[in-house]
Amino acid sequence: MTAMPTLNPKEAPDGYVAVLKDIVKPDDGSNICRACDWRSTCQQPDTDFQRHNHRCMGYPITSFQTGLTIAREDGCSVVFKRLPPTHPSLF
């Protein structure tokens, strides 16, 4: 049995938590991005995907703007779920 990966809580946008895509993938095979609460921000043209905490894919990419490699430190493929307003990490 494979151990559950440890997600880095700092690798999610403020007010969100990363959740493994395998846990939330739709049974009907529809687009996994629909399960992500951060999707509306992700689709905005001014979203900075070079920030480490805006990355949902588990594989690294090389920025065509800076030449830097951008990757999740935990190497996991995730979606972002909104934290409840009373969550302690928001204070």
Side-chain angles (χ1 to χ4, degrees):
M1 187 166 139
T2 306
M4 180 72 86
T6 301
L7 296 177
N8 182 342
K10 296 188 184 308
E11 290 190 273
D14 292 338
Y16 294 82
V17 63
V19 176
L20 292 173
K21 285 182 180 178
D22 286 345
I23 294 173
V24 296
K25 68 182 176 185
D27 291 334
D28 65 3
S30 61
N31 186 334
I32 188 69
C33 293
R34 292 181 181 166
C36 182
D37 294 343
W38 198 68
R39 185 177 189 198
S40 61
T41 304
C42 176
Q43 294 176 321
Q44 295 175 10
D46 60 340
T47 297
D48 182 4
F49 290 107
Q50 297 196 52
R51 290 185 53 181
H52 75 283
N53 65 338
H54 286 179
R55 189 89 181 115
C56 67
M57 303 305 287
Y59 55 84
I61 61 166
T62 301
S63 169
F64 67 88
Q65 295 170 328
T66 64
L68 297 174
T69 298
I70 304 162
R72 288 187 59 83
E73 291 176 13
D74 58 26
C76 296
S77 190
V78 302
V79 297
F80 300 120
K81 298 305 252 179
R82 186 176 301 282
L83 289 169
T86 57
H87 194 276
S89 71
L90 296 177
F91 300 101

